[in-house]
Amino acid sequence: SVINSTEGVLYAEIAALSDDLTERRFALSDGTTGNVARVGYTSTSNRIVAVLYNGSNQAVMFYTSPDITQKSKIAFKYKANDFALWVDGIEVVTDTSGSTFSASTLNQLSFDGGDGSNDFYGNVQNIMVFPSALTDEELADLTGSKHTSFNSLATSLGYTIL
């Protein structure tokens, strides 16, 4: 009853054990591959993914992290026509088109792709599910910046300081 299927936020403070190109996920689902909101790492080096699938892909978001073996605070916001991926205090990807699920569809949190595949192996400090889509300000506060300098922030965004 804590999981809202029509909108919400899936949040985690996680780090991969290594960047070994292994797909690892955690998810909200109904136990099938047909209805799932998931976050994790892909088989591409240092890539974070967030997906909402309800019979078809409604949101697929990728972000390349400087180093997935370092802890990141990741939030995936889902709401009809309002999807966002936040990493370490920064909104890194948005999508303003797509639907979510019917009420009471999602009923479990799992440390896999939602269907028993792609088990999440990594360091987990925190996992939370919010039953409403948080505001940008709330997501920025939640994912908080771990950056102590402009150079750290710029590097996390993929910029080169000259």
Side-chain angles (χ1 to χ4, degrees), residues 6-11 37 39 50-52 59 61 74-86 91 93-96 100 130 132-139 142:
T6 61
E7 69 175 83
V9 173
L10 180 54
Y11 169 81
V39 174
V51 174
L52 188 132
M61 303 175 164
I74 301 167
F76 176 39
K77 174 180 75 170
Y78 60 93
K79 183 178 179 181
N81 301 316
D82 187 8
F83 301 92
L85 178 61
W86 286 74
E91 185 178 49
V93 184
T94 62
D95 186 341
T96 58
T100 58
F130 293 85
S132 63
L134 303 177
T135 66
D136 287 352
E137 183 177 336
E138 291 168 329
L139 288 162
L142 176 66

PDB file of all heavy atoms in Angstrom, residues 6-11 37 39 50-52 59 61 74-86 91 93-96 100 130 132-139 142:
ATOM      1  N   THR A   6       0.673   5.279  -9.868  1.00  0.00           N
ATOM      2  CA  THR A   6       0.457   6.340 -10.848  1.00  0.00           C
ATOM      3  C   THR A   6       1.535   7.415 -10.815  1.00  0.00           C
ATOM      4  O   THR A   6       1.762   8.093 -11.813  1.00  0.00           O
ATOM      5  CB  THR A   6      -0.926   6.997 -10.661  1.00  0.00           C
ATOM      6  OG1 THR A   6      -0.999   7.570  -9.356  1.00  0.00           O
ATOM      7  CG2 THR A   6      -2.026   5.971 -10.855  1.00  0.00           C
ATOM      8  N   GLU A   7       2.203   7.602  -9.671  1.00  0.00           N
ATOM      9  CA  GLU A   7       3.300   8.549  -9.565  1.00  0.00           C
ATOM     10  C   GLU A   7       4.131   8.221  -8.345  1.00  0.00           C
ATOM     11  O   GLU A   7       3.658   7.584  -7.405  1.00  0.00           O
ATOM     12  CB  GLU A   7       2.809   9.990  -9.474  1.00  0.00           C
ATOM     13  CG  GLU A   7       2.088  10.323  -8.183  1.00  0.00           C
ATOM     14  CD  GLU A   7       1.736  11.800  -8.088  1.00  0.00           C
ATOM     15  OE1 GLU A   7       0.697  12.175  -8.650  1.00  0.00           O
ATOM     16  OE2 GLU A   7       2.510  12.553  -7.454  1.00  0.00           O
ATOM     17  N   GLY A   8       5.379   8.661  -8.353  1.00  0.00           N
ATOM     18  CA  GLY A   8       6.243   8.444  -7.211  1.00  0.00           C
ATOM     19  C   GLY A   8       7.700   8.655  -7.553  1.00  0.00           C
ATOM     20  O   GLY A   8       8.049   9.131  -8.636  1.00  0.00           O
ATOM     21  N   VAL A   9       8.546   8.295  -6.583  1.00  0.00           N
ATOM     22  CA  VAL A   9       9.997   8.389  -6.753  1.00  0.00           C
ATOM     23  C   VAL A   9      10.621   7.124  -6.191  1.00  0.00           C
ATOM     24  O   VAL A   9      10.299   6.697  -5.083  1.00  0.00           O
ATOM     25  CB  VAL A   9      10.580   9.623  -6.030  1.00  0.00           C
ATOM     26  CG1 VAL A   9      12.099   9.615  -6.065  1.00  0.00           C
ATOM     27  CG2 VAL A   9      10.040  10.912  -6.640  1.00  0.00           C
ATOM     28  N   LEU A  10      11.505   6.539  -6.967  1.00  0.00           N
ATOM     29  CA  LEU A  10      12.329   5.410  -6.530  1.00  0.00           C
ATOM     30  C   LEU A  10      13.722   5.981  -6.296  1.00  0.00           C
ATOM     31  O   LEU A  10      14.330   6.542  -7.212  1.00  0.00           O
ATOM     32  CB  LEU A  10      12.346   4.328  -7.606  1.00  0.00           C
ATOM     33  CG  LEU A  10      13.148   3.065  -7.341  1.00  0.00           C
ATOM     34  CD1 LEU A  10      12.750   2.407  -6.027  1.00  0.00           C
ATOM     35  CD2 LEU A  10      12.983   2.091  -8.500  1.00  0.00           C
ATOM     36  N   TYR A  11      14.201   5.891  -5.058  1.00  0.00           N
ATOM     37  CA  TYR A  11      15.453   6.545  -4.643  1.00  0.00           C
ATOM     38  C   TYR A  11      16.432   5.520  -4.074  1.00  0.00           C
ATOM     39  O   TYR A  11      16.020   4.591  -3.384  1.00  0.00           O
ATOM     40  CB  TYR A  11      15.155   7.600  -3.575  1.00  0.00           C
ATOM     41  CG  TYR A  11      16.384   8.146  -2.909  1.00  0.00           C
ATOM     42  CD1 TYR A  11      17.143   9.134  -3.517  1.00  0.00           C
ATOM     43  CD2 TYR A  11      16.805   7.660  -1.681  1.00  0.00           C
ATOM     44  CE1 TYR A  11      18.284   9.636  -2.911  1.00  0.00           C
ATOM     45  CE2 TYR A  11      17.943   8.151  -1.060  1.00  0.00           C
ATOM     46  CZ  TYR A  11      18.675   9.140  -1.679  1.00  0.00           C
ATOM     47  OH  TYR A  11      19.813   9.625  -1.077  1.00  0.00           O
ATOM     48  N   ALA A  37       9.089  -0.267 -12.821  1.00  0.00           N
ATOM     49  CA  ALA A  37       9.885   0.961 -12.777  1.00  0.00           C
ATOM     50  C   ALA A  37      11.202   0.531 -12.149  1.00  0.00           C
ATOM     51  O   ALA A  37      11.217   0.017 -11.027  1.00  0.00           O
ATOM     52  CB  ALA A  37       9.202   2.034 -11.942  1.00  0.00           C
ATOM     53  N   VAL A  39      15.729   0.967 -11.733  1.00  0.00           N
ATOM     54  CA  VAL A  39      16.958   1.756 -11.786  1.00  0.00           C
ATOM     55  C   VAL A  39      18.114   0.801 -11.597  1.00  0.00           C
ATOM     56  O   VAL A  39      18.000  -0.196 -10.881  1.00  0.00           O
ATOM     57  CB  VAL A  39      16.977   2.824 -10.672  1.00  0.00           C
ATOM     58  CG1 VAL A  39      18.309   3.551 -10.618  1.00  0.00           C
ATOM     59  CG2 VAL A  39      15.839   3.809 -10.858  1.00  0.00           C
ATOM     60  N   ALA A  50      17.393   4.262 -15.943  1.00  0.00           N
ATOM     61  CA  ALA A  50      16.082   4.270 -15.290  1.00  0.00           C
ATOM     62  C   ALA A  50      15.054   3.980 -16.376  1.00  0.00           C
ATOM     63  O   ALA A  50      15.119   4.553 -17.461  1.00  0.00           O
ATOM     64  CB  ALA A  50      15.806   5.614 -14.639  1.00  0.00           C
ATOM     65  N   VAL A  51      14.135   3.065 -16.083  1.00  0.00           N
ATOM     66  CA  VAL A  51      13.148   2.636 -17.079  1.00  0.00           C
ATOM     67  C   VAL A  51      11.775   2.526 -16.431  1.00  0.00           C
ATOM     68  O   VAL A  51      11.656   2.003 -15.313  1.00  0.00           O
ATOM     69  CB  VAL A  51      13.522   1.260 -17.677  1.00  0.00           C
ATOM     70  CG1 VAL A  51      12.434   0.739 -18.598  1.00  0.00           C
ATOM     71  CG2 VAL A  51      14.858   1.310 -18.382  1.00  0.00           C
ATOM     72  N   LEU A  52      10.762   2.982 -17.144  1.00  0.00           N
ATOM     73  CA  LEU A  52       9.386   2.689 -16.776  1.00  0.00           C
ATOM     74  C   LEU A  52       8.773   1.966 -17.960  1.00  0.00           C
ATOM     75  O   LEU A  52       8.756   2.492 -19.072  1.00  0.00           O
ATOM     76  CB  LEU A  52       8.576   3.946 -16.458  1.00  0.00           C
ATOM     77  CG  LEU A  52       7.202   3.567 -15.883  1.00  0.00           C
ATOM     78  CD1 LEU A  52       6.903   4.360 -14.639  1.00  0.00           C
ATOM     79  CD2 LEU A  52       6.115   3.707 -16.912  1.00  0.00           C
ATOM     80  N   ALA A  59       9.431   5.481 -20.457  1.00  0.00           N
ATOM     81  CA  ALA A  59      10.594   6.320 -20.185  1.00  0.00           C
ATOM     82  C   ALA A  59      11.810   5.413 -20.114  1.00  0.00           C
ATOM     83  O   ALA A  59      11.793   4.401 -19.415  1.00  0.00           O
ATOM     84  CB  ALA A  59      10.428   7.072 -18.871  1.00  0.00           C
ATOM     85  N   MET A  61      15.893   6.189 -19.598  1.00  0.00           N
ATOM     86  CA  MET A  61      16.840   7.266 -19.349  1.00  0.00           C
ATOM     87  C   MET A  61      18.207   6.700 -19.026  1.00  0.00           C
ATOM     88  O   MET A  61      18.328   5.802 -18.196  1.00  0.00           O
ATOM     89  CB  MET A  61      16.350   8.116 -18.187  1.00  0.00           C
ATOM     90  CG  MET A  61      14.988   8.689 -18.409  1.00  0.00           C
ATOM     91  SD  MET A  61      14.419   9.560 -16.951  1.00  0.00           S
ATOM     92  CE  MET A  61      13.100  10.484 -17.681  1.00  0.00           C
ATOM     93  N   ILE A  74      20.654   8.518  -6.277  1.00  0.00           N
ATOM     94  CA  ILE A  74      19.909   8.454  -7.537  1.00  0.00           C
ATOM     95  C   ILE A  74      18.409   8.457  -7.241  1.00  0.00           C
ATOM     96  O   ILE A  74      17.939   7.709  -6.381  1.00  0.00           O
ATOM     97  CB  ILE A  74      20.280   7.170  -8.305  1.00  0.00           C
ATOM     98  CG1 ILE A  74      21.780   7.140  -8.597  1.00  0.00           C
ATOM     99  CG2 ILE A  74      19.460   7.051  -9.583  1.00  0.00           C
ATOM    100  CD1 ILE A  74      22.291   5.802  -9.074  1.00  0.00           C
ATOM    101  N   ALA A  75      17.669   9.304  -7.966  1.00  0.00           N
ATOM    102  CA  ALA A  75      16.217   9.337  -7.829  1.00  0.00           C
ATOM    103  C   ALA A  75      15.586   9.276  -9.215  1.00  0.00           C
ATOM    104  O   ALA A  75      15.981  10.009 -10.114  1.00  0.00           O
ATOM    105  CB  ALA A  75      15.771  10.601  -7.103  1.00  0.00           C
ATOM    106  N   PHE A  76      14.618   8.392  -9.361  1.00  0.00           N
ATOM    107  CA  PHE A  76      13.845   8.273 -10.600  1.00  0.00           C
ATOM    108  C   PHE A  76      12.417   8.685 -10.292  1.00  0.00           C
ATOM    109  O   PHE A  76      11.702   8.012  -9.552  1.00  0.00           O
ATOM    110  CB  PHE A  76      13.904   6.835 -11.112  1.00  0.00           C
ATOM    111  CG  PHE A  76      13.071   6.565 -12.339  1.00  0.00           C
ATOM    112  CD1 PHE A  76      12.978   7.484 -13.373  1.00  0.00           C
ATOM    113  CD2 PHE A  76      12.387   5.375 -12.463  1.00  0.00           C
ATOM    114  CE1 PHE A  76      12.214   7.223 -14.504  1.00  0.00           C
ATOM    115  CE2 PHE A  76      11.630   5.092 -13.593  1.00  0.00           C
ATOM    116  CZ  PHE A  76      11.540   6.025 -14.613  1.00  0.00           C
ATOM    117  N   LYS A  77      12.020   9.837 -10.834  1.00  0.00           N
ATOM    118  CA  LYS A  77      10.656  10.347 -10.645  1.00  0.00           C
ATOM    119  C   LYS A  77       9.798   9.872 -11.809  1.00  0.00           C
ATOM    120  O   LYS A  77      10.187   9.995 -12.968  1.00  0.00           O
ATOM    121  CB  LYS A  77      10.654  11.872 -10.603  1.00  0.00           C
ATOM    122  CG  LYS A  77       9.245  12.467 -10.545  1.00  0.00           C
ATOM    123  CD  LYS A  77       9.245  13.983 -10.498  1.00  0.00           C
ATOM    124  CE  LYS A  77       9.573  14.575 -11.830  1.00  0.00           C
ATOM    125  NZ  LYS A  77       9.356  16.038 -11.874  1.00  0.00           N
ATOM    126  N   TYR A  78       8.618   9.337 -11.482  1.00  0.00           N
ATOM    127  CA  TYR A  78       7.687   8.921 -12.526  1.00  0.00           C
ATOM    128  C   TYR A  78       6.299   9.478 -12.236  1.00  0.00           C
ATOM    129  O   TYR A  78       5.808   9.461 -11.117  1.00  0.00           O
ATOM    130  CB  TYR A  78       7.632   7.393 -12.664  1.00  0.00           C
ATOM    131  CG  TYR A  78       7.198   6.659 -11.417  1.00  0.00           C
ATOM    132  CD1 TYR A  78       5.854   6.325 -11.218  1.00  0.00           C
ATOM    133  CD2 TYR A  78       8.110   6.302 -10.438  1.00  0.00           C
ATOM    134  CE1 TYR A  78       5.444   5.653 -10.078  1.00  0.00           C
ATOM    135  CE2 TYR A  78       7.700   5.635  -9.289  1.00  0.00           C
ATOM    136  CZ  TYR A  78       6.375   5.316  -9.123  1.00  0.00           C
ATOM    137  OH  TYR A  78       5.970   4.671  -7.982  1.00  0.00           O
ATOM    138  N   LYS A  79       5.725  10.038 -13.256  1.00  0.00           N
ATOM    139  CA  LYS A  79       4.379  10.603 -13.229  1.00  0.00           C
ATOM    140  C   LYS A  79       3.999  10.777 -14.691  1.00  0.00           C
ATOM    141  O   LYS A  79       4.862  11.046 -15.522  1.00  0.00           O
ATOM    142  CB  LYS A  79       4.382  11.954 -12.507  1.00  0.00           C
ATOM    143  CG  LYS A  79       3.038  12.605 -12.360  1.00  0.00           C
ATOM    144  CD  LYS A  79       3.164  13.915 -11.578  1.00  0.00           C
ATOM    145  CE  LYS A  79       1.820  14.583 -11.442  1.00  0.00           C
ATOM    146  NZ  LYS A  79       1.938  15.856 -10.702  1.00  0.00           N
ATOM    147  N   ALA A  80       2.744  10.639 -15.039  1.00  0.00           N
ATOM    148  CA  ALA A  80       2.332  10.767 -16.438  1.00  0.00           C
ATOM    149  C   ALA A  80       2.889  12.055 -17.041  1.00  0.00           C
ATOM    150  O   ALA A  80       2.706  13.135 -16.477  1.00  0.00           O
ATOM    151  CB  ALA A  80       0.812  10.741 -16.550  1.00  0.00           C
ATOM    152  N   ASN A  81       3.604  11.904 -18.143  1.00  0.00           N
ATOM    153  CA  ASN A  81       4.206  13.021 -18.874  1.00  0.00           C
ATOM    154  C   ASN A  81       5.204  13.833 -18.052  1.00  0.00           C
ATOM    155  O   ASN A  81       5.435  15.009 -18.338  1.00  0.00           O
ATOM    156  CB  ASN A  81       3.118  13.939 -19.443  1.00  0.00           C
ATOM    157  CG  ASN A  81       2.198  13.184 -20.367  1.00  0.00           C
ATOM    158  OD1 ASN A  81       2.648  12.403 -21.202  1.00  0.00           O
ATOM    159  ND2 ASN A  81       0.905  13.403 -20.211  1.00  0.00           N
ATOM    160  N   ASP A  82       5.795  13.212 -17.032  1.00  0.00           N
ATOM    161  CA  ASP A  82       6.746  13.911 -16.163  1.00  0.00           C
ATOM    162  C   ASP A  82       7.701  12.909 -15.523  1.00  0.00           C
ATOM    163  O   ASP A  82       7.481  12.457 -14.408  1.00  0.00           O
ATOM    164  CB  ASP A  82       5.984  14.691 -15.093  1.00  0.00           C
ATOM    165  CG  ASP A  82       6.889  15.574 -14.248  1.00  0.00           C
ATOM    166  OD1 ASP A  82       8.088  15.710 -14.568  1.00  0.00           O
ATOM    167  OD2 ASP A  82       6.377  16.135 -13.253  1.00  0.00           O
ATOM    168  N   PHE A  83       8.760  12.562 -16.257  1.00  0.00           N
ATOM    169  CA  PHE A  83       9.757  11.619 -15.777  1.00  0.00           C
ATOM    170  C   PHE A  83      11.089  12.358 -15.637  1.00  0.00           C
ATOM    171  O   PHE A  83      11.407  13.220 -16.456  1.00  0.00           O
ATOM    172  CB  PHE A  83       9.939  10.472 -16.772  1.00  0.00           C
ATOM    173  CG  PHE A  83       8.673   9.706 -17.035  1.00  0.00           C
ATOM    174  CD1 PHE A  83       7.832  10.061 -18.078  1.00  0.00           C
ATOM    175  CD2 PHE A  83       8.318   8.639 -16.230  1.00  0.00           C
ATOM    176  CE1 PHE A  83       6.662   9.370 -18.326  1.00  0.00           C
ATOM    177  CE2 PHE A  83       7.150   7.933 -16.469  1.00  0.00           C
ATOM    178  CZ  PHE A  83       6.319   8.301 -17.519  1.00  0.00           C
ATOM    179  N   ALA A  84      11.859  12.002 -14.615  1.00  0.00           N
ATOM    180  CA  ALA A  84      13.167  12.632 -14.445  1.00  0.00           C
ATOM    181  C   ALA A  84      14.113  11.687 -13.717  1.00  0.00           C
ATOM    182  O   ALA A  84      13.702  10.924 -12.842  1.00  0.00           O
ATOM    183  CB  ALA A  84      13.044  13.944 -13.677  1.00  0.00           C
ATOM    184  N   LEU A  85      15.374  11.776 -14.090  1.00  0.00           N
ATOM    185  CA  LEU A  85      16.443  11.047 -13.412  1.00  0.00           C
ATOM    186  C   LEU A  85      17.371  12.081 -12.782  1.00  0.00           C
ATOM    187  O   LEU A  85      17.877  12.969 -13.477  1.00  0.00           O
ATOM    188  CB  LEU A  85      17.215  10.166 -14.404  1.00  0.00           C
ATOM    189  CG  LEU A  85      18.392   9.379 -13.845  1.00  0.00           C
ATOM    190  CD1 LEU A  85      17.946   8.395 -12.762  1.00  0.00           C
ATOM    191  CD2 LEU A  85      19.121   8.639 -14.967  1.00  0.00           C
ATOM    192  N   TRP A  86      17.538  11.973 -11.481  1.00  0.00           N
ATOM    193  CA  TRP A  86      18.416  12.862 -10.719  1.00  0.00           C
ATOM    194  C   TRP A  86      19.585  12.054 -10.182  1.00  0.00           C
ATOM    195  O   TRP A  86      19.398  10.943  -9.675  1.00  0.00           O
ATOM    196  CB  TRP A  86      17.656  13.474  -9.547  1.00  0.00           C
ATOM    197  CG  TRP A  86      16.689  14.541  -9.944  1.00  0.00           C
ATOM    198  CD1 TRP A  86      15.484  14.368 -10.557  1.00  0.00           C
ATOM    199  CD2 TRP A  86      16.859  15.937  -9.766  1.00  0.00           C
ATOM    200  NE1 TRP A  86      14.893  15.586 -10.767  1.00  0.00           N
ATOM    201  CE2 TRP A  86      15.711  16.572 -10.286  1.00  0.00           C
ATOM    202  CE3 TRP A  86      17.864  16.727  -9.201  1.00  0.00           C
ATOM    203  CZ2 TRP A  86      15.547  17.950 -10.264  1.00  0.00           C
ATOM    204  CZ3 TRP A  86      17.704  18.089  -9.174  1.00  0.00           C
ATOM    205  CH2 TRP A  86      16.558  18.698  -9.705  1.00  0.00           C
ATOM    206  N   GLU A  91      19.534  17.185 -11.965  1.00  0.00           N
ATOM    207  CA  GLU A  91      18.585  16.551 -12.881  1.00  0.00           C
ATOM    208  C   GLU A  91      19.349  16.286 -14.184  1.00  0.00           C
ATOM    209  O   GLU A  91      19.714  17.217 -14.885  1.00  0.00           O
ATOM    210  CB  GLU A  91      17.393  17.462 -13.126  1.00  0.00           C
ATOM    211  CG  GLU A  91      16.305  16.837 -13.962  1.00  0.00           C
ATOM    212  CD  GLU A  91      15.126  17.775 -14.139  1.00  0.00           C
ATOM    213  OE1 GLU A  91      15.335  18.951 -14.491  1.00  0.00           O
ATOM    214  OE2 GLU A  91      13.997  17.312 -13.910  1.00  0.00           O
ATOM    215  N   VAL A  93      18.433  13.815 -16.742  1.00  0.00           N
ATOM    216  CA  VAL A  93      17.611  13.437 -17.889  1.00  0.00           C
ATOM    217  C   VAL A  93      16.147  13.695 -17.537  1.00  0.00           C
ATOM    218  O   VAL A  93      15.723  13.438 -16.408  1.00  0.00           O
ATOM    219  CB  VAL A  93      17.766  11.944 -18.265  1.00  0.00           C
ATOM    220  CG1 VAL A  93      16.970  11.611 -19.522  1.00  0.00           C
ATOM    221  CG2 VAL A  93      19.212  11.542 -18.431  1.00  0.00           C
ATOM    222  N   THR A  94      15.380  14.178 -18.521  1.00  0.00           N
ATOM    223  CA  THR A  94      13.936  14.327 -18.344  1.00  0.00           C
ATOM    224  C   THR A  94      13.213  13.765 -19.558  1.00  0.00           C
ATOM    225  O   THR A  94      13.797  13.626 -20.630  1.00  0.00           O
ATOM    226  CB  THR A  94      13.516  15.809 -18.179  1.00  0.00           C
ATOM    227  OG1 THR A  94      13.860  16.518 -19.360  1.00  0.00           O
ATOM    228  CG2 THR A  94      14.166  16.441 -16.967  1.00  0.00           C
ATOM    229  N   ASP A  95      11.952  13.452 -19.363  1.00  0.00           N
ATOM    230  CA  ASP A  95      11.089  13.009 -20.452  1.00  0.00           C
ATOM    231  C   ASP A  95       9.683  13.503 -20.114  1.00  0.00           C
ATOM    232  O   ASP A  95       9.182  13.234 -19.023  1.00  0.00           O
ATOM    233  CB  ASP A  95      11.115  11.487 -20.565  1.00  0.00           C
ATOM    234  CG  ASP A  95      10.357  10.957 -21.781  1.00  0.00           C
ATOM    235  OD1 ASP A  95       9.525  11.689 -22.345  1.00  0.00           O
ATOM    236  OD2 ASP A  95      10.586   9.797 -22.147  1.00  0.00           O
ATOM    237  N   THR A  96       9.068  14.227 -21.025  1.00  0.00           N
ATOM    238  CA  THR A  96       7.751  14.819 -20.762  1.00  0.00           C
ATOM    239  C   THR A  96       6.638  14.131 -21.544  1.00  0.00           C
ATOM    240  O   THR A  96       5.593  14.723 -21.786  1.00  0.00           O
ATOM    241  CB  THR A  96       7.758  16.325 -21.079  1.00  0.00           C
ATOM    242  OG1 THR A  96       8.145  16.490 -22.445  1.00  0.00           O
ATOM    243  CG2 THR A  96       8.713  17.079 -20.166  1.00  0.00           C
ATOM    244  N   THR A 100       2.004   6.057 -16.961  1.00  0.00           N
ATOM    245  CA  THR A 100       2.534   5.211 -15.885  1.00  0.00           C
ATOM    246  C   THR A 100       1.674   3.953 -15.795  1.00  0.00           C
ATOM    247  O   THR A 100       1.486   3.273 -16.780  1.00  0.00           O
ATOM    248  CB  THR A 100       2.603   5.987 -14.556  1.00  0.00           C
ATOM    249  OG1 THR A 100       1.310   6.461 -14.206  1.00  0.00           O
ATOM    250  CG2 THR A 100       3.580   7.154 -14.642  1.00  0.00           C
ATOM    251  N   PHE A 130       8.930   6.860  -2.579  1.00  0.00           N
ATOM    252  CA  PHE A 130       8.045   7.965  -2.229  1.00  0.00           C
ATOM    253  C   PHE A 130       6.742   7.799  -3.003  1.00  0.00           C
ATOM    254  O   PHE A 130       6.777   7.607  -4.223  1.00  0.00           O
ATOM    255  CB  PHE A 130       8.700   9.308  -2.566  1.00  0.00           C
ATOM    256  CG  PHE A 130       9.896   9.612  -1.717  1.00  0.00           C
ATOM    257  CD1 PHE A 130      11.149   9.123  -2.057  1.00  0.00           C
ATOM    258  CD2 PHE A 130       9.767  10.368  -0.565  1.00  0.00           C
ATOM    259  CE1 PHE A 130      12.257   9.383  -1.272  1.00  0.00           C
ATOM    260  CE2 PHE A 130      10.868  10.644   0.230  1.00  0.00           C
ATOM    261  CZ  PHE A 130      12.118  10.138  -0.127  1.00  0.00           C
ATOM    262  N   SER A 132       4.579   9.882  -3.974  1.00  0.00           N
ATOM    263  CA  SER A 132       4.184  10.985  -4.845  1.00  0.00           C
ATOM    264  C   SER A 132       5.421  11.498  -5.563  1.00  0.00           C
ATOM    265  O   SER A 132       6.547  11.325  -5.095  1.00  0.00           O
ATOM    266  CB  SER A 132       3.507  12.111  -4.047  1.00  0.00           C
ATOM    267  OG  SER A 132       4.414  12.649  -3.116  1.00  0.00           O
ATOM    268  N   ALA A 133       5.200  12.123  -6.705  1.00  0.00           N
ATOM    269  CA  ALA A 133       6.300  12.702  -7.462  1.00  0.00           C
ATOM    270  C   ALA A 133       6.763  13.946  -6.718  1.00  0.00           C
ATOM    271  O   ALA A 133       5.976  14.859  -6.467  1.00  0.00           O
ATOM    272  CB  ALA A 133       5.853  13.050  -8.876  1.00  0.00           C
ATOM    273  N   LEU A 134       8.026  13.983  -6.346  1.00  0.00           N
ATOM    274  CA  LEU A 134       8.570  15.118  -5.609  1.00  0.00           C
ATOM    275  C   LEU A 134       8.854  16.275  -6.556  1.00  0.00           C
ATOM    276  O   LEU A 134       9.036  16.086  -7.762  1.00  0.00           O
ATOM    277  CB  LEU A 134       9.850  14.698  -4.881  1.00  0.00           C
ATOM    278  CG  LEU A 134       9.721  13.524  -3.909  1.00  0.00           C
ATOM    279  CD1 LEU A 134      11.076  13.174  -3.320  1.00  0.00           C
ATOM    280  CD2 LEU A 134       8.716  13.833  -2.813  1.00  0.00           C
ATOM    281  N   THR A 135       8.922  17.480  -6.006  1.00  0.00           N
ATOM    282  CA  THR A 135       9.260  18.658  -6.803  1.00  0.00           C
ATOM    283  C   THR A 135      10.751  18.645  -7.135  1.00  0.00           C
ATOM    284  O   THR A 135      11.537  17.913  -6.513  1.00  0.00           O
ATOM    285  CB  THR A 135       8.946  19.952  -6.039  1.00  0.00           C
ATOM    286  OG1 THR A 135       9.832  20.028  -4.900  1.00  0.00           O
ATOM    287  CG2 THR A 135       7.493  20.005  -5.587  1.00  0.00           C
ATOM    288  N   ASP A 136      11.147  19.478  -8.079  1.00  0.00           N
ATOM    289  CA  ASP A 136      12.566  19.578  -8.418  1.00  0.00           C
ATOM    290  C   ASP A 136      13.390  19.992  -7.203  1.00  0.00           C
ATOM    291  O   ASP A 136      14.477  19.459  -6.975  1.00  0.00           O
ATOM    292  CB  ASP A 136      12.785  20.583  -9.556  1.00  0.00           C
ATOM    293  CG  ASP A 136      12.326  20.051 -10.897  1.00  0.00           C
ATOM    294  OD1 ASP A 136      11.982  18.849 -10.994  1.00  0.00           O
ATOM    295  OD2 ASP A 136      12.327  20.833 -11.863  1.00  0.00           O
ATOM    296  N   GLU A 137      12.884  20.916  -6.419  1.00  0.00           N
ATOM    297  CA  GLU A 137      13.599  21.354  -5.220  1.00  0.00           C
ATOM    298  C   GLU A 137      13.761  20.196  -4.225  1.00  0.00           C
ATOM    299  O   GLU A 137      14.838  19.991  -3.656  1.00  0.00           O
ATOM    300  CB  GLU A 137      12.869  22.522  -4.555  1.00  0.00           C
ATOM    301  CG  GLU A 137      13.599  23.068  -3.348  1.00  0.00           C
ATOM    302  CD  GLU A 137      12.906  24.273  -2.723  1.00  0.00           C
ATOM    303  OE1 GLU A 137      12.144  24.969  -3.422  1.00  0.00           O
ATOM    304  OE2 GLU A 137      13.134  24.491  -1.528  1.00  0.00           O
ATOM    305  N   GLU A 138      12.695  19.424  -4.037  1.00  0.00           N
ATOM    306  CA  GLU A 138      12.765  18.274  -3.135  1.00  0.00           C
ATOM    307  C   GLU A 138      13.738  17.219  -3.656  1.00  0.00           C
ATOM    308  O   GLU A 138      14.502  16.623  -2.883  1.00  0.00           O
ATOM    309  CB  GLU A 138      11.377  17.661  -2.950  1.00  0.00           C
ATOM    310  CG  GLU A 138      10.435  18.549  -2.162  1.00  0.00           C
ATOM    311  CD  GLU A 138       8.988  18.084  -2.209  1.00  0.00           C
ATOM    312  OE1 GLU A 138       8.562  17.493  -3.229  1.00  0.00           O
ATOM    313  OE2 GLU A 138       8.266  18.323  -1.219  1.00  0.00           O
ATOM    314  N   LEU A 139      13.743  16.990  -4.971  1.00  0.00           N
ATOM    315  CA  LEU A 139      14.664  16.014  -5.552  1.00  0.00           C
ATOM    316  C   LEU A 139      16.110  16.480  -5.451  1.00  0.00           C
ATOM    317  O   LEU A 139      17.019  15.678  -5.192  1.00  0.00           O
ATOM    318  CB  LEU A 139      14.279  15.708  -6.994  1.00  0.00           C
ATOM    319  CG  LEU A 139      13.002  14.876  -7.138  1.00  0.00           C
ATOM    320  CD1 LEU A 139      12.445  14.969  -8.542  1.00  0.00           C
ATOM    321  CD2 LEU A 139      13.256  13.435  -6.737  1.00  0.00           C
ATOM    322  N   LEU A 142      16.984  15.905  -1.836  1.00  0.00           N
ATOM    323  CA  LEU A 142      17.066  14.475  -1.550  1.00  0.00           C
ATOM    324  C   LEU A 142      18.355  13.864  -2.079  1.00  0.00           C
ATOM    325  O   LEU A 142      19.039  13.117  -1.377  1.00  0.00           O
ATOM    326  CB  LEU A 142      15.868  13.742  -2.165  1.00  0.00           C
ATOM    327  CG  LEU A 142      15.841  12.223  -2.035  1.00  0.00           C
ATOM    328  CD1 LEU A 142      15.698  11.818  -0.577  1.00  0.00           C
ATOM    329  CD2 LEU A 142      14.709  11.648  -2.868  1.00  0.00           C
TER     330      LEU A 142
END
